Amino acid sequence: MNIPNSQLSRRAFLGGGTALAAFGVLALAGCATPAATPPGATANAATKAKTINFYGNSLGEEALKPAWQGIIDGFSKDAGVTVAPVIYPYDQAATQLALTGRSGKLLGVGQSGGWQVLTPMDLLADLTELAKGLGIPQGVLDSYTKDGKLLVLPLTASGIGIATNGEIAKSVGIKSGMTVEQFATALEKIKAQDSSLIPYAAVTKNPDLKDAVHWMWGFGSEVVTDDLKCTIGDAASVKAITWYKSLMDAGLTQTNVARSDARILFASGRAALYDDAPLVPTFLKKNGAAQNILDNVSAISRPTVDGKKSYNRAWGSGLFATAGEGEVTSREFIKYAATDVAAATALYERSAVAPAAKSVADKIPALAADKFQGTFRTQVSEHARAAAWDRVAVTAQIDAAIGGGVATILAGQVDVQAGLNALKKEVQGLLDSNS
């Protein structure tokens, strides 16, 4: 598949994933007095509408516009409904949704970027019924579930997993099902074979150090419990970050590596492994990877500790609907976007990422032939886990705080226990402010 790499980026594809930049508006949405009941509020009965809005950035992105325009046109023709685009840049998603939501004028369907700012306003419809029978991993559904209600139906459902240079990984025995000790030993073999090679281009620099979360989970720390209590600083999280830092101290990872750096290092053959979303092949092409790297890229399940479960931070995007006025029509649109095979195929062809619904993904022949996506779905997506704070308005601030706290530890500015204790206090403060 030939994707225009200059046009396709992670944020363009996500149409608004979980990364939120508008910190001030997020805090405003979480703490402000609720607005007067708007047209989409849950107090109103669900109705049909002749016109609904479609909020998001994908129609403004050249790479994804054709696929999304096709979905809108197809639904509009079948349902006899007008879908009116409301386009804003990805990095303005949270701001625009918060302002529109508080104005009482939010009505229709929206892409999931910034959806958390709407939860304190009680604007979103429960889409639980739409997800039944689709085969979407529960760990991903949990990312969008609050108070027992599914507020976003995922269109893509995966996780941040470990991508491997297949040739190098095979030579040292790197595979799914490894313990962290076996993993570290294999990384040492890579370093011994070629000292110029970075065995694992793990993220060691903000803003991407929220990657520390799935390692803390794997060592047994909840990080944040479902009732929003932070556990960072417990024995499991201390062991996880101590181990993660030990990889860097041993030269098995490298200092000051952000996700964008890791992509370049991996694509150029200077790193054997790194962490990313399922868009790995697209990023490799964008960064000029040689054909042998493209042909051999694969993925493994994240190494585990003492037989514990393997986890990957959930990643994906979806659609929400405002409740009440127009809700019936909005739900019909979301169901069409999620289950229509032609629509899903078009999105896959533009994004190179599998649909969230396994029942739909299994009907796309090109996807069945996509070796990397097949491996990523089984080794990474099936181990995806939501973070408890993915559902609250301060999601971005907590991710930034975790990244910043871990960065100070990796830089040697504070020891692991003291650094995590301080981080726990900061994260708990954010969670408490959100309530």
Side-chain angles (χ1 to χ4, degrees):
M1 182 177 2
N2 185 15
I3 299 173
N5 295 317
S6 62
Q7 301 167 2
L8 183 60
S9 67
R10 177 179 185 271
R11 69 179 189 177
F13 165 66
L14 283 174
T18 57
L20 309 174
F23 291 171
V25 174
L26 289 170
L28 173 65
C31 303
T33 301
T37 303
T42 54
N44 296 341
T47 65
K48 289 192 173 185
K50 279 296 187 183
T51 299
I52 59 171
N53 294 326
F54 177 71
Y55 303 89
N57 68 292
S58 286
L59 286 171
E61 301 280 357
E62 187 176 351
L64 290 175
K65 181 177 179 179
W68 276 105
Q69 191 63 58
I71 291 172
I72 289 172
D73 293 345
F75 175 76
S76 297
K77 182 178 179 180
D78 289 353
V81 170
T82 298
V83 179
V86 180
I87 303 171
Y88 42 71
Y90 170 82
D91 58 5
Q92 293 182 21
T95 305
Q96 295 300 323
L97 289 177
L99 294 174
T100 308
R102 293 197 57 76
S103 74
K105 296 179 180 180
L106 190 74
L107 188 153
V109 174
Q111 294 182 285
S112 57
W115 72 276
Q116 296 95 332
V117 302
L118 301 175
T119 58
M121 306 180 202
D122 197 26
L123 293 174
L124 304 182
D126 182 2
L127 305 178
T128 301
E129 290 298 317
L130 293 184
K132 289 184 176 179
L134 295 183
I136 300 173
Q138 187 59 47
V140 176
L141 292 175
D142 289 345
S143 301
Y144 304 113
T145 301
K146 184 173 175 63
D147 299 327
K149 298 178 180 179
L150 180 66
L151 301 180
V152 173
L153 185 72
L155 294 188
T156 62
S158 190
I160 302 297
I162 298 179
T164 68
N165 180 313
E167 292 180 329
I168 299 173
K170 185 178 180 180
S171 72
V172 297
I174 288 179
K175 59 184 179 179
S176 291
M178 301 182 81
T179 65
V180 292
E181 293 84 6
Q182 291 169 334
F183 181 66
T185 298
L187 296 180
E188 289 170 353
K189 290 179 180 178
I190 293 173
K191 184 179 180 182
Q193 289 178 359
D194 185 349
S195 60
S196 68
L197 194 65
I198 301 169
Y200 177 27
V203 168
T204 53
K205 177 183 179 182
N206 245 350
D208 305 307
L209 261 173
K210 59 186 179 182
D211 272 11
V213 168
H214 38 223
W215 288 113
M216 286 192 273
W217 282 337
F219 274 74
S221 176
E222 285 298 303
V223 183
V224 173
T225 62
D226 286 339
D227 59 353
L228 301 183
K229 300 300 180 184
C230 183
T231 69
I232 292 174
D234 60 7
S237 63
V238 170
K239 288 179 181 178
I241 300 306
T242 299
W243 175 82
Y244 197 72
K245 186 175 186 299
S246 75
L247 297 182
M248 189 180 74
D249 293 342
L252 303 179
T253 64
Q254 185 168 293
T255 59
N256 295 315
V257 173
R259 182 94 67 218
S260 58
D261 303 319
R263 289 169 181 159
I264 294 170
L265 290 168
F266 189 83
S268 63
R270 288 180 286 162
L273 297 89
Y274 88 110
D275 294 90
D276 212 341
L279 285 165
V280 171
T282 299
F283 294 131
L284 291 180
K285 293 174 185 176
K286 181 178 180 180
N287 287 296
Q291 193 60 47
N292 69 308
I293 294 177
L294 291 169
D295 290 342
N296 289 285
V297 64
S298 191
I300 60 168
S301 60
R302 195 168 297 280
T304 59
V305 178
D306 299 329
K308 291 181 172 62
K309 289 184 178 180
S310 175
Y311 291 115
N312 298 294
R313 180 80 180 267
W315 175 95
S317 64
L319 297 174
F320 64 77
T322 54
E325 183 181 347
E327 178 185 341
V328 173
T329 306
S330 295
R331 292 168 69 91
E332 290 172 347
F333 176 86
I334 292 175
K335 183 177 181 180
Y336 178 89
T339 62
D340 183 82
V341 175
T345 299
L347 281 176
Y348 165 70
E349 289 175 345
R350 300 300 296 185
S351 69
V353 177
K358 186 177 185 299
S359 58
V360 177
D362 289 345
K363 296 177 182 177
I364 301 177
L367 180 57
D370 190 330
K371 184 178 179 181
F372 176 80
Q373 289 299 333
T375 300
F376 206 92
R377 288 169 69 191
T378 57
Q379 303 306 316
V380 176
S381 303
E382 291 182 8
H383 301 285
R385 175 179 174 178
W389 62 95
D390 283 341
R391 305 180 280 271
V392 300
V394 289
T395 301
Q397 294 100 309
I398 292 175
D399 278 342
I402 291 172
V406 174
T408 63
I409 294 171
L410 295 183
Q413 297 173 11
V414 63
D415 69 37
V416 177
Q417 185 70 69
L420 292 183
N421 288 346
L423 179 55
K424 175 181 180 177
K425 184 176 181 180
E426 183 178 2
V427 170
Q428 192 62 59
L430 288 166
L431 291 167
D432 292 344
S433 71
N434 179 73
S435 63

